[in-house]
Amino acid sequence: MKKFVYIVTDRNRTSLHVGMSADLIKTLDFYKQMPSLFFDNAQQLTRLVYFEEFKTEIQALSRFKLISRFTRMQKERLVRSCNPDWIDLTIGLDFEHITMNRPIPTQVKMPLAIMS
């Protein structure tokens, strides 16, 4: 089962939060639905700026613990190493999730007039 370690931030990049999840899309939806549950209204952590995927929970947990101990500067370097413009990566994940869960048609439907 996949596990994810991620970093989310607010629109001003004032807060960086490290987390771990088995379903990244559901977790991010939860952050967006309950923006002030864990943080105050000024820190609505809705932008996914970094994530890593792991095969086991043990690997993810050790990486989560490591990144959680990083200083802010180290976390910023980590984000900039793969996302230099701090783009919200949720858009790409949503697109991938939609296309991965859509059934792929195996038969092509053609009108009978073409076949005769």
Side-chain angles (χ1 to χ4, degrees), residues 47-103:
R47 293 185 182 199
L48 175 69
V49 290
Y50 178 83
F51 71 93
E52 293 179 42
E53 182 179 332
F54 296 93
K55 292 181 181 178
T56 66
E57 188 170 355
I58 295 169
Q59 292 172 332
L61 188 59
S62 66
R63 183 67 172 162
F64 169 74
K65 287 179 180 179
L66 178 67
I67 294 175
S68 294
R69 289 191 307 251
F70 280 6
T71 63
R72 178 171 177 98
M73 187 177 290
Q74 289 173 315
K75 290 176 189 173
E76 286 182 6
R77 275 193 217 131
L78 184 63
V79 171
R80 285 193 182 111
S81 70
C82 61
N83 188 0
D85 296 325
W86 293 69
I87 297 169
D88 186 6
L89 302 174
T90 312
I91 298 165
L93 277 178
D94 285 340
F95 177 75
E96 182 179 324
H97 185 269
I98 290 167
T99 56
M100 294 290 286
N101 291 334
R102 184 183 315 158

